[in-house]
C-alpha cells in the first residue's frame, strides 16, 4: 500500500539531494520507480494522498521550461504542498548575490529547491550550502528527472529493464549523459550515434562503462546511426540545438543531417521498439513526423510520467 511508502526523509534515496542519476544505486533507482508507480496509481484511482501538506518547494528557473515547471508545480499541489516559481530575473542572484548566500536564505523559507539552469556547478554549489533538499531540474551536464521518468515509462510498457537496448541518436548532451548513466545502472545496453566532436563527455562515458560492466550493460559510442539502432528496444532522440547553442544552429543542422530518425532508420530496430523524445521536438530535423506520430511513439506517455516520477522524488526528499 502507498501509505507504507517512505515516511522518513531520504528513506529510499538515502541522500539529501537529487543531482545526477549516477549518485544512486540500481536498487535505489528501482525503489523510487516503484514508489512513482504507486503514487501514479493513487492519482488514477482518485485517492487522496497529501504527504507534503504545508510544505513549499522553491523552483528556480534560469532556463525556460514547459514540462519541468508544470510537472513540479502540479506535483506539489497534488501532494498537498505549494510551489513558488522563482525566475532568476526576480531573484538577487540575477544581480550578483552568490549562490551560497541564496542557498542559505532560501533554506530559511522553503522545504526544498528545484533548479533548472546552465552550469552544473551552480547546482552543486546550491546543494552544498542549502540545508534543504535540492533537485536538479536540468543543467548542461545532466537531466536526471527526465531520465527517471523515461525509465518509469519503459518499465511500465516493457517490464524488467535489464537486458533491453536503448539507441540514442543525436547530440551527446545532458540528456545523453543521464540516459547513458541510467541504462548502465539498470543493466540496459546503450548505444549512442553522433557526429565527430559531438560525443558525450568522456568522463560520463567512462563512468557509464564501469557501471555497465558491473550490471551487464554494454555502452557503445559510434558514428553510425544504423549500427546503433540495430535490434534496439528503444530509440531516443533530442533536439540537435539546445538552449544556449542557437548561434551554432546552421552548423549543427549540417553536421547532424545523417542522424535523423526516420522511416528508413527504424527498420533496423525491433518491430515493437518504443520511440522516445524528451521534448520539445523539432519535427523534420532530428525526427520525422512519420516516426514521432507513429504507433511506436510513447512521447506523451513519457511526458506524463515526469509528474509521477517527480512526485516520488519530492515525497522521498521532503516528507
Amino acid at each position: 500500500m502507498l501509505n507504507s511508502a517512505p515516511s522518513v526523509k531520504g528513506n529510499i534515496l538515502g541522500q539529501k539531494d537529487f543531482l545526477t542519476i549516477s549518485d544512486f544505486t540500481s536498487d535505489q533507482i528501482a525503489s523510487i520507480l516503484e514508489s512513482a508507480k504507486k503514487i501514479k496509481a493513487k492519482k488514477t484511482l482518485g485517492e487522496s494522498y497529501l504527504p507534503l501538506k504545508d510544505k513549499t518547494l522553491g523552483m528556480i528557473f534560469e532556463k525556460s521550461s514547459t514540462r519541468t515547471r508544470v510537472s513540479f508545480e502540479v506535483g506539489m499541489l497534488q501532494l498537498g504542498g505549494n510551489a513558488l516559481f522563482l525566475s532568476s530575473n526576480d531573484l538577487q542572484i540575477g544581480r550578483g548575490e552568490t549562490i551560497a548566500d541564496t542557498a542559505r536564505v532560501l533554506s530559511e523559507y522553503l522545504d526544498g529547491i528545484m533548479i533548472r539552469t546552465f552550469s552544473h556547478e551552480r547546482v552543486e554549489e546550491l546543494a552544498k550550502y542549502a540545508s534543504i533538499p535540492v533537485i536538479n531540474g536540468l543543467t548542461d551536464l545532466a537531466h536526471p528527472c527526465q531520465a527517471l521518468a523515461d525509465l518509469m515509462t519503459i518499465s511500465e510498457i516493457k517490464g524488467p529493464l535489464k537486458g533491453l537496448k536503448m539507441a540514442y541518436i543525436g547530440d551527446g548532451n545532458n540528456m545523453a549523459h543521464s540516459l547513458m548513466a541510467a541504462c548502465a545502472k539498470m543493466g540496459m545496453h546503450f548505444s549512442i550515434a553522433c557526429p565527430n566532436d559531438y560525443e558525450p563527455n568522456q568522463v560520463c562515458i567512462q563512468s557509464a562503462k564501469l557501471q555497465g560492466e558491473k550490471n551487464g550493460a554494454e555502452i557503445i559510442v559510434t558514428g553510425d546511426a544504423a549500427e546503433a539502432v540495430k535490434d534496439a528496444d528503444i530509440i531516443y532522440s533530442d533536439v540537435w540545438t539546445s538552449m544556449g547553442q542557437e548561434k551554432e544552429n546552421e552548423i549543427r543542422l549540417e553536421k547532424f543531417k545523417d542522424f535523423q530518425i526516420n522511416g528508413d532508420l527504424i527498420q533496423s530496430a525491433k518491430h515493437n521498439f518504443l520511440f522516445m523524445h524528451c521534448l520539445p521536438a523539432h519535427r523534420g530535423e532530428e525526427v520525422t513526423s512519420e516516426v514521432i506520430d507513429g504507433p511506436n511513439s510513447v512521447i506523451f506517455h513519457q511526458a506524463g510520467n515526469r509528474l509521477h516520477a517527480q512526485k516520488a522524488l519530492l515525497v522521498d526528499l521532503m516528507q
Side-chain angles (χ1 to χ4, degrees):
M1 294 178 61
L2 191 58
N3 289 333
S4 63
S7 58
V8 179
K9 189 169 96 173
N11 188 46
I12 293 177
L13 296 179
Q15 296 187 32
K16 176 173 73 74
D17 308 307
F18 185 76
L19 304 187
T20 72
I21 287 285
S22 300
D23 294 333
F24 304 98
T25 67
S26 303
D27 287 343
Q28 287 172 322
I29 295 170
S31 294
I32 206 73
L33 292 177
E34 286 306 307
S35 178
K37 291 175 185 177
K38 291 176 182 178
I39 290 173
K40 182 177 181 178
K42 282 281 188 183
K43 180 66 172 65
T44 301
L45 294 171
E47 297 183 25
S48 178
Y49 179 60
L50 307 174
L52 298 186
K53 183 175 172 55
D54 298 327
K55 297 290 181 76
T56 302
L57 176 73
M59 307 186 302
I60 301 175
F61 284 90
E62 296 183 318
K63 272 189 172 184
S64 59
S65 167
T66 297
R67 280 148 291 276
T68 299
R69 177 178 178 180
V70 176
S71 57
F72 269 108
E73 190 162 341
V74 171
M76 278 300 294
L77 292 173
Q78 290 181 354
L79 293 169
N82 302 286
L84 296 177
F85 174 76
L86 305 171
S87 167
S88 59
N89 294 327
D90 301 324
L91 295 175
Q92 293 297 335
I93 55 173
R95 299 175 59 201
E97 184 172 40
T98 66
I99 289 288
D101 287 352
T102 299
R104 292 184 178 108
V105 169
L106 292 181
S107 295
E108 296 292 324
Y109 305 140
L110 303 169
D111 301 288
I113 301 170
M114 186 284 299
I115 180 169
R116 181 178 169 94
T117 187
F118 291 90
S119 167
H120 192 75
E121 287 73 21
R122 287 174 73 80
V123 176
E124 292 180 324
E125 186 175 5
L126 188 71
K128 177 180 178 180
Y129 289 99
S131 60
I132 56 177
V134 172
I135 296 173
N136 177 7
L138 177 140
T139 65
D140 287 345
L141 181 70
H143 197 355
C145 291
Q146 179 68 57
L148 194 65
D150 295 339
L151 291 179
M152 179 182 177
T153 303
I154 296 165
S155 66
E156 285 180 325
I157 299 171
K158 293 288 189 181
L161 297 173
K162 190 173 180 62
L164 296 176
K165 177 184 176 180
M166 176 183 287
Y168 181 99
I169 312 300
D171 191 18
N173 59 13
N174 50 5
M175 197 67 253
H177 295 154
S178 289
L179 288 170
M180 183 165 55
C183 287
K185 289 282 185 178
M186 305 313 290
M188 295 173 60
H189 307 300
F190 183 86
S191 293
I192 177 170
C194 45
N196 289 336
D197 300 325
Y198 293 91
E199 296 91 349
N201 178 290
Q202 286 299 316
V203 173
C204 294
I205 292 173
Q206 293 307 313
S207 175
K209 285 186 173 182
L210 287 173
Q211 284 296 322
E213 288 175 7
K214 295 178 183 178
N215 297 308
E218 187 175 19
I219 308 298
I220 295 174
V221 180
T222 178
D224 187 335
E227 175 190 344
V229 166
K230 183 174 173 54
D231 297 325
D233 298 284
I234 304 102
I235 301 177
Y236 204 111
S237 184
D238 190 7
V239 295
W240 293 339
T241 305
S242 298
M243 281 181 284
Q245 299 172 336
E246 289 80 6
K247 291 182 179 179
E248 305 173 25
N249 188 53
E250 292 303 317
I251 296 173
R252 284 174 170 268
L253 288 177
E254 177 63 25
K255 291 279 189 180
F256 284 88
K257 64 183 181 181
D258 294 328
F259 294 84
Q260 183 187 72
I261 299 174
N262 52 41
D264 291 333
L265 183 64
I266 64 175
Q267 298 305 314
S268 300
K270 291 182 179 177
H271 71 91
N272 62 343
F273 79 93
L274 305 180
F275 174 72
M276 305 184 78
H277 194 300
C278 54
L279 299 178
H282 292 168
R283 293 166 178 262
E285 291 185 14
E286 73 272 10
V287 60
T288 62
S289 292
E290 172 190 12
V291 175
I292 201 169
D293 294 327
N296 297 80
S297 178
V298 295
I299 60 169
F300 298 116
H301 182 162
Q302 173 189 4
N305 276 339
R306 286 287 301 275
L307 173 65
H308 309 296
Q310 289 162 189
K311 284 168 73 173
L313 279 179
L314 291 166
V315 171
D316 194 57
L317 294 172
M318 292 175 59
Q319 189 176 36

